[in-house]
Each structure stands twice: as structure tokens, then as C-alpha cells.
Amino acid sequence: MTVRVLVVDDSATMRGVISATLRADPEIVVVGQAADPYEARQLIKQLSPDVITLDIEMPNMDGLAFLDKIMRLRPTPVIMVSTLTQAGAEVNLRALEIGAFDCVAKPSSYNRDSFEQLAEKVKAAAKSRRRPVLAQRAAAQPVGSYAPDGRLVAIGSSTGGVEALITILSKFPANCPPTVISQHMPPTFTASFAARLNKLSAAEVSEAVDGAKLQTGHVYLAPGNAHLEVSGGYVRLSDGPKVNGHRPSVDVMFHSVLRSVGARSVGVILTGLGRDGAEGLLALREAGAETIGQDEASCVVYGMPRAAYEIGAVMRQLPLERIAERILLSTNVRSPEYAG
């Protein structure tokens, strides 16, 4: 399969860099380049590209507004290419919520290898499903109907994880089980993403800090440049080597949960590219923990959940809209299904 790509950026130099990077992959053809959204709109009609790379900051119409038009009028996988600064984190997160497949940083003096996975992401985007139309988010379960049993919940996610995590955490009650999350995300994004999740969830969601005590009603999101582990009832962060190409790594988190609480946990693996988390989830299941995988139909990229499912790590495979309910049913001592 040859992937046909349209490159949209107001900088001729950046258009050249992106195009050269993509043309180095024999499975990708750059079919056109555009300097602004109006030129891009005409080329999209003429060329029907499989994937679009889109700059966020452009003249005449900003990339976010143009992305919204693409998603509504001519849904096409889009990879945002931008300067991933702290100030731009909110804009990039909004792009992911609107429907962008992923965000990639422009190369800089401190991030020269940012395009290392660009071609891989473009090819994954071409194979991805349209983002599922999610059911209206249910209100969080009332605190009075939920009594946590003390188990720890660990969730791993990557591409497509922004909307997936919003969907799950928006259903969590204020007294949810202590929950740790490793989402593959640039370090400039995670504080803003945690704040966004905190506004949408009855639980207290924060970017994890080293030494934080794991508490009922709290959700801890791994910083984008650190492994999140749990030990003795506390969050531990480390800057160790990348695992499966990632820091934070879902496998690192799952294995620490295994060492710390073993079967007294629920492991969840969501949409994402690659296989990070599969081995760790299998180890949790073999220890007696409940394990949940997002199903193919509701994934943006059925990579991480597929890898876990194929090695037998997934006890229950569920559509995204049912995962929060399953977590709460299995950890609620008042639930008819509660098994301890």
C-alpha cells in the first residue's frame, strides 16, 4: 500500500524538510504541498490524499480551524506538525480532541530527532479507523453508589488516548479507585492534559509527582518524560532508559504494579501504536489481576490492545464506552458482580 500525503505548512523550508523525510520511505508518496489552508482545500479536493500533515500556526486561517473543517466536511487522517511548547500544549490537545491522529514536533536544536517516527506515524494514520462517534458521556457515578475495594487501577494508552481517557475518566466518581496512567505524550503536554482531565472528571486528576501517596479519588498521569512506577503505596518517577521506545512506558508501570500489589489491581490497555504494555499486562493477568483491553472497533489504532490480546494478556475486550463501567463494577464492593 502506497500512502499519498499532502504537506501543509506556511514555511517553504519546513515543507521541504517534511517532504524529504517522508519521501525517504518507499511506501509514501508526497502528492502535493500547500502554504495555507485555502491552497490546501483545493489540493484536497483535487488529490484526495490519504493523510495530511498540518501546521497549527498559519496565515489566513489557523490550523485548528482548518482541522475542524476537515473533520466535519472531508474526514481525513491528519498529523499536526508544530512547535510543541508549553504555551502551545492547549492548542495541540484541542487538535487531538477535534480528531487529529497525532501531533509531531518540528525539529529544533534541543529536539533534532523529532521526525524520526514521522513516516511510521503517517503510515499508521493511513490505516487508522475514523475516530469513533462516541456516545454522550454519562454523568459520573454518584459517590453513594460506589465503594472502592482498595484495588489499584493502571491504564496505558498512546495514539488516540486523549479522547479515550476523557471518555473513561469523565465517568469516574469522586471516590474512584486510585488510578495511575501512562500515556505516550510529549512532556510539554502532560500538565495541560492532566488539568483538562481534572475539569472533566469528578475525581482529582493531576500530573504525577515523585513520592505522591496513592489515594482513593485520585488519578495520577505520568509526566511525558518520566517512567511512572508504584511502590509501597506511593508514586515513583524515574528518568531511566526508554522501554519499547517510550518514556513513560506502559510495561514499566504494569510491572511495578505487579511487584507492588499483584492481583490487587486492574490493568487496562487502550488505543495506541506498537506493543508497549502487552508483556506487563500478561504478567498482571497471570498473577490474578483483572485485565481489560479496548476492542478493535473503538480504537483509533488497534496496536497496543491487539498485541496484548494476541498473547493472552486481555481477560475482557470491551468497547471504549463500556470500560469505565467495567472498572467500577469490578472494584465496587456494593456491586452484584463484585468478586473480591
Side-chain angles (χ1 to χ4, degrees), residues 38-283:
Y38 293 100
E39 184 179 355
R41 183 172 59 186
Q42 296 304 315
L43 289 176
I44 290 171
K45 292 178 181 178
Q46 294 172 19
L47 302 172
S48 295
D50 300 313
V51 179
I52 300 167
T53 70
L54 179 61
D55 186 17
I56 284 183
E57 298 178 357
M58 289 185 297
N60 302 321
M61 181 191 302
D62 69 83
L64 208 58
F66 187 50
L67 173 67
D68 183 61
K69 290 181 180 294
I70 293 172
M71 292 298 109
R72 287 188 293 106
L73 303 176
R74 198 181 183 108
T76 304
V78 175
I79 294 179
M80 307 304 292
V81 182
S82 65
T83 304
L84 300 184
T85 62
Q86 187 70 50
E90 289 287 348
V91 177
N92 282 283
L93 287 171
R94 179 63 185 143
L96 292 170
E97 288 185 36
I98 290 172
F101 177 80
D102 209 341
C103 293
V104 176
K106 291 182 177 180
S108 65
S109 58
Y110 58 87
N111 193 11
R112 299 182 186 279
D113 300 326
S114 62
F115 279 0
E116 187 176 10
Q117 293 187 315
L118 180 59
E120 181 184 1
K121 290 186 176 184
V122 162
K123 291 188 289 186
K127 298 175 183 177
S128 68
R129 297 173 176 272
R130 280 190 58 185
R131 287 191 180 276
V133 178
L134 301 173
Q136 186 175 4
R137 294 183 189 118
Q141 182 170 341
V143 170
S145 65
Y146 178 77
D149 68 353
R151 274 188 283 180
L152 176 68
V153 176
I155 303 174
S157 52
S158 187
T159 304
V162 168
E163 187 63 31
L165 290 169
I166 288 173
T167 300
I168 291 171
L169 297 186
S170 65
K171 298 177 183 179
F172 270 26
N175 61 338
C176 72
T179 301
V180 291
I181 298 173
S182 287
Q183 157 75 32
H184 299 158
M185 181 173 277
T188 51
F189 279 30
T190 44
S192 294
F193 185 41
R196 173 77 172 139
L197 290 171
N198 190 50
K199 291 178 181 177
L200 297 172
S201 178
E204 186 73 25
V205 184
S206 61
E207 186 179 46
V209 295
D210 189 60
K213 185 177 181 180
L214 293 167
Q215 300 180 74
T216 297
H218 288 254
V219 178
Y220 309 84
L221 177 70
N225 59 355
H227 293 304
L228 185 156
E229 300 181 66
V230 297
S231 178
Y234 293 87
V235 171
R236 298 299 178 192
L237 301 180
S238 71
D239 60 355
K242 292 181 178 180
V243 175
N244 301 319
H246 298 286
R247 189 177 60 236
S249 163
V250 181
D251 265 329
V252 168
M253 179 183 68
F254 282 162
H255 281 296
S256 78
V257 170
L258 175 65
R259 292 191 300 270
S260 183
V261 298
R264 296 289 295 166
S265 62
V266 176
V268 182
I269 196 156
L270 304 175
T271 175
L273 183 63
R275 58 179 302 108
D276 187 30
E279 296 294 340
L281 195 70
L282 177 61

